[in-house]
Amino acid sequence: MYDPPEPGADGVRVLVDRLWPRGLSKEAAAVEEWPKAVAPSTELRKWFHGGGSAAEFRARYEAELAEPEAAAELARLRELAGAGPVTLLTAVKDPASSHAAVLAELLGTRG
């Protein structure tokens, strides 16, 4: 998330966290979309950080993504990804083990 934008390479920059990252200005982030509904719920995030397994997190997160509001936002992201590059932005410390990796896989895009 804190990497500077790469004009021409990033495509649409999408923040996939529920909260705005601390200490980062909106100008510096260059976020174009912020579909909060595709971020894990606060409850799920706390459960996972409290020691929940990655496999169970993924199952629960995918169930949340099937809810109507999240499903609509996910469909919109799929449209964006089908039209060109999409870069998913997150402030988590380990994006490869986070919801962003799950989304990137579901969208076939870079996380």
Side-chain angles (χ1 to χ4, degrees):
M1 176 70 207
Y2 297 99
D3 294 336
E6 294 181 36
D10 284 351
V12 179
R13 291 172 56 89
V14 180
L15 177 61
V16 295
D17 292 343
R18 197 165 294 273
L19 302 173
W20 189 264
R22 284 187 186 147
L24 186 65
S25 73
K26 292 186 180 186
E27 294 76 29
V31 169
E32 297 172 67
E33 300 273 338
W34 188 12
K36 295 176 190 173
V38 300
S41 66
T42 301
E43 296 80 15
L44 179 57
R45 187 176 43 80
K46 286 181 179 180
W47 172 84
F48 184 55
H49 293 296
S53 74
E56 182 66 18
F57 170 80
R58 182 183 181 107
R60 291 180 183 197
Y61 181 46
E62 287 182 354
E64 287 187 356
L65 290 173
E67 293 294 322
E69 185 180 0
E73 292 289 358
L74 186 58
R76 166 105 172 95
L77 291 179
R78 283 190 174 117
E79 287 176 18
L80 290 173
V86 170
T87 299
L88 303 180
L89 306 169
T90 183
V92 299
K93 292 179 180 165
D94 184 11
S97 300
S98 74
H99 67 288
V102 175
L103 280 175
E105 185 180 319
L106 292 173
L107 298 173
T109 189
R110 59 187 242 184

